[in-house]
Amino acid sequence: MGKGTDKLYITHSEWTNQVAPGGLKFGGVSSRPIDSKNYAPLPFDCCALSLQPFKTPLCSPDGYVFDLTSIVPWLRAHKNMHPITGKPLKFTDLTKLTYHKSPESGKYHCPVLFKEFTSSTKIIAIKTTGNVYSWNAYQSLCVKPRHYFDLLDDT
């Protein structure tokens, strides 16, 4: 009855799917892999609440980006509760983000390297100023030389 044994009983580890990959599916908590056909990550320029492109981006302390017109009514209606995590979130905890657009193409880009942001670009925001950079710019110009200041205004 057990997996690969002649035992007439099922052990706890077999029941909870910890021993054999693909063990018994009806017991314990089993993790389900994400179905890649039905899952698509949210674009970097969209609000995590309305799923629409943002006009005035605000960032929560845990990294979720919201539009001002979506998050303010949510916080009022749900008594300062974070829409994604359910933890307390005050409006003063949000950081206003400053994205830079290319004048030629109108797309968001890194203000230091002038590379356009794509869906695969790692993006970082500085909490004190709200400026948004590519991870490559921050890594090469701040972390490696140990110069931990904002790249545009040196604060």
Side-chain angles (χ1 to χ4, degrees):
M1 180 140 171
K3 276 283 207 191
T5 65
D6 290 337
K7 298 181 286 188
L8 296 177
Y9 58 90
I10 299 172
T11 64
H12 173 66
S13 58
E14 290 171 337
W15 181 262
T16 57
N17 196 13
Q18 293 177 359
V19 170
L24 301 174
K25 297 293 183 192
F26 53 84
V29 177
S30 62
S31 61
R32 284 188 241 160
I34 296 174
D35 185 12
S36 61
K37 291 183 273 183
N38 297 329
Y39 174 76
L42 188 66
F44 70 91
D45 61 342
C46 287
C47 171
L49 186 57
S50 66
L51 306 178
Q52 300 296 319
F54 51 69
K55 293 179 178 58
T56 310
L58 299 171
C59 185
S60 66
D62 48 359
Y64 292 101
V65 179
F66 303 104
D67 192 15
L68 178 69
T69 58
S70 298
I71 192 66
V72 171
W74 173 272
L75 291 175
R76 287 185 184 150
H78 295 91
K79 299 180 183 174
N80 292 334
M81 184 182 72
H82 195 292
I84 309 295
T85 62
K87 296 178 182 175
L89 177 69
K90 298 177 188 171
F91 183 74
T92 56
D93 295 338
L94 298 172
T95 304
K96 184 178 186 299
L97 296 180
T98 307
Y99 281 87
H100 299 275
K101 280 190 173 184
S102 172
E104 295 88 26
S105 65
K107 295 183 179 179
Y108 294 113
H109 69 90
C110 176
V112 178
L113 299 180
F114 296 101
K115 289 186 178 179
E116 289 184 359
F117 294 149
T118 64
S119 60
S120 62
T121 306
K122 284 187 176 180
I123 298 172
I124 186 170
I126 307 298
K127 184 175 175 95
T128 54
T129 60
N131 290 328
V132 178
Y133 304 103
S134 68
W135 176 253
N136 293 338
Y138 179 76
Q139 189 72 17
S140 62
L141 299 174
C142 290
V143 175
K144 286 184 181 174
R146 298 179 186 259
H147 179 75
Y148 297 106
F149 295 103
D150 195 321
L151 295 171
L152 289 182
D153 56 7
D154 216 21
T155 57

